Amino acid sequence: MKKLNEFVTKHPLYFLFFIAIIVGLFKLFLNIIKQRPVYEELDIIIYTFCLYFVCWIISKTVHNTYIRFCVAAFINFIYLSIQMFFDGSYVNYTSFIVTGGVAAFIAVMMVIIMHMFFDSHKTK
């Protein structure tokens, strides 16, 4: 267990990639069992993996916490806006405000992930 913990702290992207593959395969088999289209609802797994990948890129390039938050919020806001545009769920300016709030909340989670996973091995 100690070796696994050391590996995870040194290489967090490998671990997160492994988790994304396991969850994706689980969803794939669940869709087959429920007789739904095979690739239905896999977008959240791809989004989660991309979220961690973007966290890794931001943590390697930007070292100021506030700039990390702003970059993460901007990226999430753009993603959520494009998704809402194609879903047709942008109604008026309140949708715009709610999307900004959700993007800020996800950005806070991303900054916490960056601090926990990607900055923890630098201090040890």
Side-chain angles (χ1 to χ4, degrees):
M1 225 35 199
K2 190 174 183 179
K3 289 184 180 181
L4 180 66
N5 189 24
E6 289 175 9
F7 180 77
V8 169
T9 55
K10 289 182 182 177
H11 308 288
L13 269 184
Y14 290 139
F15 178 70
L16 297 173
F17 184 65
F18 177 72
I19 294 291
I21 288 174
I22 296 296
V23 172
L25 289 174
F26 179 73
K27 285 284 243 182
L28 189 86
F29 290 132
L30 195 64
N31 286 340
I32 290 171
I33 290 171
K34 290 187 175 185
Q35 297 179 350
R36 293 190 290 187
V38 177
Y39 297 113
E40 185 175 309
E41 298 177 3
L42 287 181
D43 59 338
I44 191 67
I45 295 160
I46 295 169
Y47 174 70
T48 305
F49 181 71
C50 290
L51 181 104
Y52 286 120
F53 187 68
V54 167
C55 285
W56 180 71
I57 290 173
I58 292 172
S59 69
K60 295 293 181 188
T61 57
V62 179
H63 300 293
N64 187 349
T65 305
Y66 299 113
I67 296 175
R68 284 181 178 183
F69 172 77
C70 291
V71 169
F74 179 72
I75 290 171
N76 281 303
F77 182 76
I78 295 297
Y79 170 77
L80 292 172
S81 295
I82 291 171
Q83 184 181 18
M84 287 181 73
F85 177 75
F86 285 118
D87 289 346
S89 55
Y90 254 141
V91 180
N92 52 14
Y93 68 92
T94 56
S95 302
F96 190 73
I97 294 170
V98 170
T99 302
V102 171
F105 178 70
I106 294 172
V108 167
M109 291 189 301
M110 286 176 72
V111 169
I112 291 170
I113 288 169
M114 284 182 248
H115 180 68
M116 285 175 38
F117 287 118
F118 303 119
D119 291 342
S120 65
H121 71 280
K122 291 179 184 176
T123 59
K124 293 182 182 179

